[in-house]
Amino acid sequence: MRKWKKRLLELISLILSGIVAIPLYMVIVNSLKNQSDAADLKLTLPKDWSGFNNYTEVFRIARIPQAFWITLFITVVSVVLIIIVCAVAAFVIERRDSRLMRLLQHVLIAGMILPGSIITTYYLMQSLHLIRTLTGIVLLYVATNFPFMTYLYISFLRGVPKELDEAAIIDGVGRFKLFFKILFPLLMPVNASVVVLSSMNIWNDFQTPFYFLNTASRFTLSMTIYFFFGQHSSDWNLVFANIVIVSLPVILLYIFVQKYIVSGLTAGAVKG
């Protein structure tokens, strides 16, 4: 590629990165302004830096510690269940060569493409007495992530030779030990990708807790923004401070483990 083309692509990438960074800059700057200045929603710097008190106000009013532990519990339990359920399901579907297993793979693809229905899901969970319960929302996250994450594991397992299974079985290893002691350690790259992708989706999710866990005593971090929205007015300085607090753990997680997302997805794609 010619040098001027590379420069042009770098310039375009720089401009696009700047466009993406503008909303982030706007949130941080306005979270440090007072109530009247933040209401203008401008990109200017704060006139005074007393806006740091916004963060202490958000912690006090929105009960951030309580919401943090509820969100952490939901995220950790959901991610652990997603890893176990999806990995085991992918092992069975990929290793058994039958018409039913091939049909299940088509069902998984349909599950990734077709949109979910809030109304039918709500009535189903209500009939199972899972509405407004932590158990219900954890099971819902496992179900909604199941198609994509299982297919991710299937793509990776296709690159693991079946001769490894046959050698283990000849040595007298049962199917349970074959998966958890021999194959599961080989899935670490895709496990890391599943942890990062599912954690980010669940931690930042607003819609699912809004419909299925809508009670003030069990607000997740994403729902605490409701404490600063009124019917006729909104405290935008506190809203932006709330967004920064909610997003910070996910941003830190992404910074530390972003390389595993690429390596896990690439490994699955190449070997599949």
Side-chain angles (χ1 to χ4, degrees):
M1 186 180 292
R2 294 182 178 178
K3 191 173 181 180
W4 69 269
K5 286 186 177 179
K6 289 183 180 179
R7 297 292 183 191
L8 180 62
L9 289 176
E10 289 176 358
L11 180 62
I12 294 174
S13 301
L14 192 62
I15 294 173
L16 292 177
S17 300
I19 294 173
V20 172
I22 288 176
L24 180 62
Y25 169 79
M26 180 179 177
V27 168
I28 295 175
V29 165
N30 283 287
S31 70
L32 299 173
K33 295 180 180 178
N34 57 41
Q35 185 178 10
S36 59
D37 291 341
D40 294 333
L41 302 178
K42 293 182 178 178
L43 299 178
T44 56
L45 291 173
K47 296 176 182 176
D48 60 73
W49 294 91
S50 60
F52 286 106
N53 295 328
N54 295 336
Y55 288 89
T56 57
E57 282 295 295
V58 169
F59 263 86
R60 185 181 61 83
I61 299 174
R63 305 169 190 165
I64 292 296
Q66 174 184 305
F68 175 82
W69 288 114
I70 291 174
T71 308
L72 184 65
F73 173 81
I74 293 173
T75 304
V76 171
V77 175
S78 300
V79 171
V80 170
L81 288 177
I82 287 170
I83 290 175
I84 295 173
V85 173
C86 295
V88 172
F91 171 65
V92 175
I93 293 173
E94 202 281 328
R95 286 308 200 238
R96 288 188 180 178
D97 186 16
S98 66
R99 185 175 297 177
L100 177 60
M101 294 301 117
R102 288 192 290 273
L103 176 63
L104 283 177
Q105 293 193 38
H106 292 296
V107 172
L108 290 176
I109 295 174
M112 289 187 285
I113 297 173
L114 298 177
S117 172
I118 295 295
I119 297 175
T120 53
T121 305
Y122 187 90
Y123 278 111
L124 174 63
M125 292 190 65
Q126 191 176 41
S127 64
L128 296 173
H129 305 288
L130 292 174
I131 290 292
R132 298 186 182 88
T133 64
L134 296 179
T135 304
I137 198 165
V138 166
L139 293 176
L140 191 56
Y141 278 130
V142 175
T144 52
N145 283 277
F146 181 79
F148 177 72
M149 299 305 173
T150 302
Y151 211 82
L152 206 61
Y153 279 110
I154 290 175
S155 300
F156 191 86
L157 280 170
R158 283 173 183 161
V160 179
K162 293 183 180 179
E163 288 78 8
L164 192 65
D165 303 18
E166 295 169 356
I169 292 172
I170 290 173
D171 289 341
V173 176
R175 294 189 180 277
F176 184 83
K177 288 186 177 179
L178 166 65
F179 178 76
F180 283 102
K181 289 196 172 182
I182 297 177
L183 294 181
F184 194 74
L186 301 178
L187 300 177
M188 284 306 154
V190 71
N191 281 340
S193 299
V194 170
V195 168
V196 176
L197 294 174
S198 56
S199 297
M200 293 174 67
N201 289 336
I202 295 171
W203 190 278
N204 289 324
D205 186 31
F206 178 82
Q207 178 176 296
T208 306
F210 177 77
Y211 287 116
F212 303 102
L213 196 66
N214 195 358
T215 173
S217 61
R218 293 176 182 174
F219 267 11
T220 59
L221 279 174
S222 60
M223 294 190 68
T224 53
I225 200 169
Y226 263 113
F227 285 106
F228 312 109
F229 268 110
Q231 186 174 4
H232 303 291
S233 65
S234 300
D235 296 327
W236 286 106
N237 55 332
L238 301 182
V239 169
F240 288 125
N242 185 271
I243 293 174
V244 172
I245 293 172
V246 171
S247 305
L248 196 58
V250 180
I251 293 173
L252 292 176
L253 176 67
Y254 179 78
I255 291 173
F256 285 112
V257 297
Q258 58 174 322
K259 62 180 180 181
Y260 296 111
I261 300 177
V262 178
S263 63
L265 293 176
T266 306
V270 172
K271 293 181 180 179

